Amino acid sequence: MKPSPPPEEARRTPAWFLRPPLLLAVLVLVALFCTQRCTGKREEDLSRSRIIMGTVVEITVLGKTAGEASAAIDEAFAVMARIEALMTPHDPASDVARLSGALSALEVSAETAEVVALGERVAAASDGAFDMALGRLKELWGVEGEAPRVPTSAEIDAALEGTGVGDLIRDGQTIVKRSPDLAVDLGGIAKGYAVDRAAAVLRRAGVKSAAINAGGDIRLLGDRNGRPWRIGIQHPREDGRLLATLSLGPTAVVTSGDYERYFEVGGVRYHHLFDPATGYPSRRCQSVTVVAESAALADALATAAFVLGPEGGLRLLEKFPGAEVILVAADGSRHVSPGLQGAVTWP
Ligand code: ADP
Ligand code: MG
């Protein structure tokens, strides 16, 4: 049967024509869409990165307009740069440089005092495996500089003089070194602290969901569009491969490894995580990832657990309720604290 011809009105109406009220609604929607795009009022994910503390810091903000997210990220970068200025050993005006040069008690910023206070807790709990006065040792090895080298044992002994639990004595914001020769190094904790401060800035700006990643020192706020964050942990021996993936809520996750800053002599890998008991890079681990409430704590615990190795590292983590660990020992064996097992996926 032949289809009947369409009614007159329909034949005169082109297919794309919309009745006036509908057309108006579409125009309003298009206009709204354009305005939001042009003025940055639409909510979208925004990621920006900047180099701070010698590493790429990436901040991703979710659920805010581009304008709001951008302003909050700028503020977060600014606070991180301020922490760097206080804690870098390379600027003579920094707290760390002034402390290293100090012959007697010195008053430092509230931020530096807070970092040292947390570091003291980890130093005591790790029986000195975490030590904030290894500045001379770090300088001697030059792992992060142009000309790294294996020092003599006499040089190592001299660089370790006066180090050990209680080498920095703090009273509020006043710090005194046990020996005037000690050089302070907050490299094992300062980056995590800067990440925490950035997170606080974002939260104050009304950001509910965000991720801050400072070269493996990560802090997560909220969730990822109603789902957990998924964080990939770099395999310590296979470039570009993941060791594991973690499903996490709002928390901090920090990795210390021997695979990024190192040099080799005679097939031996010398890296930047020193055992204060020997003055040599610790050989007990390949990588340690710590999940904790703050990035500063996770940072210090990851460094300390790396130095201590699997047994001591897991024992140290037990002293910090809520903190969890994935540790890859020197022989490649994996050790996961009980509280994290449900969050780990192995590839
Ligand atoms: P990164 O993320 O920069 O690799 P880590 O948190 O792994 O930093 O810590 C490495 C840094 O910690 C070293 O460069 C040094 O400044 C410092 N460090 C090395 N050994 C120790 C230690 N035993 N205790 C405290 N800090 C240390
Ligand atoms: Mg650390």
Side-chain angles (χ1 to χ4, degrees):
M1 203 177 84
K2 249 176 98 184
S4 56
E8 193 64 13
E9 195 194 343
R11 258 189 288 141
R12 276 194 283 113
T13 310
W16 47 265
F17 182 82
L18 298 167
R19 281 172 222 268
L22 199 55
L23 178 65
L24 191 67
V26 169
L27 286 178
V28 167
L29 276 176
V30 169
L32 205 63
F33 179 72
C34 285
T35 326
Q36 283 176 333
R37 277 196 82 88
C38 304
T39 59
K41 291 249 171 62
R42 203 164 61 96
E43 289 183 0
E44 54 192 40
D45 300 356
L46 184 77
S47 275
R48 289 196 14 225
S49 24
R50 188 173 294 181
I51 293 184
I52 304 172
M53 296 182 153
T55 196
V56 179
V57 180
E58 184 181 53
I59 302 184
T60 304
V61 165
L62 276 59
K64 285 275 159 196
T65 65
E68 288 167 342
S70 198
I73 291 173
D74 277 341
E75 237 191 291
F77 281 146
V79 81
M80 292 184 80
R82 199 159 54 77
I83 303 302
E84 178 180 25
L86 291 172
M87 300 182 198
T88 174
H90 307 300
D91 176 355
S94 75
D95 277 349
V96 161
R98 289 188 314 122
L99 264 174
S100 295
L103 299 176
S104 55
L106 185 82
E107 176 147 350
V108 296
S109 63
E111 290 89 342
T112 301
E114 196 183 340
V115 168
V116 171
L118 179 61
E120 282 171 334
R121 274 180 60 205
V122 177
S126 65
D127 295 324
F130 188 79
D131 194 325
M132 295 175 286
L134 299 182
R136 288 179 66 200
L137 188 71
K138 183 174 173 173
E139 181 76 30
L140 181 64
W141 280 89
V143 180
E144 287 163 30
E146 306 265 290
R149 70 181 177 95
V150 180
T152 65
S153 51
E155 287 174 317
I156 289 176
D157 288 348
L160 284 176
E161 231 172 86
T163 63
V165 177
D167 46 17
L168 302 182
I169 303 143
R170 188 189 54 84
D171 180 9
Q173 282 175 234
T174 302
I175 295 173
V176 57
K177 298 179 296 182
R178 183 158 58 200
S179 147
D181 290 341
L182 287 171
V184 173
D185 168 32
L186 301 180
I189 186 171
K191 215 189 320 158
Y193 180 76
V195 166
D196 286 334
R197 294 301 301 259
V201 162
L202 294 182
R203 235 194 273 108
R204 266 203 306 277
V207 172
K208 300 271 188 306
S209 293
I212 304 163
N213 182 359
D217 285 35
I218 298 170
R219 176 81 188 249
L220 307 166
L221 294 184
D223 56 32
R224 188 168 182 89
N225 303 319
R227 300 217 188 95
W229 294 96
R230 290 182 62 75
I231 303 297
I233 309 297
Q234 165 69 44
H235 194 292
R237 289 293 176 270
E238 292 178 44
D239 218 17
R241 250 198 69 194
L242 289 184
L243 171 74
T245 307
L246 293 174
S247 279
L248 298 170
T251 191
V253 48
V254 175
T255 300
S256 276
D258 67 358
Y259 50 87
E260 261 173 358
R261 298 171 202 226
Y262 68 92
F263 66 100
E264 279 181 342
V265 178
V268 179
R269 180 184 294 230
Y270 297 99
H271 56 84
H272 69 330
L273 294 154
F274 301 106
D275 183 349
T278 64
Y280 274 74
S282 174
R283 300 218 176 290
R284 299 187 183 100
C285 293
Q286 296 177 358
S287 92
V288 176
T289 298
V290 172
V291 176
E293 70 207 8
S294 86
L297 179 63
D299 195 358
L301 288 176
T303 301
F306 189 103
V307 170
L308 289 170
E311 280 163 39
L314 285 166
R315 240 183 295 124
L316 170 68
L317 266 290
E318 280 169 16
K319 297 181 188 170
F320 292 83
E324 305 292 343
V325 65
I326 302 181
L327 185 150
V328 182
D331 62 4
S333 60
R334 297 157 185 193
H335 307 257
V336 183
S337 61
L340 203 58
Q341 273 158 10
V344 187
T345 312
W346 306 101

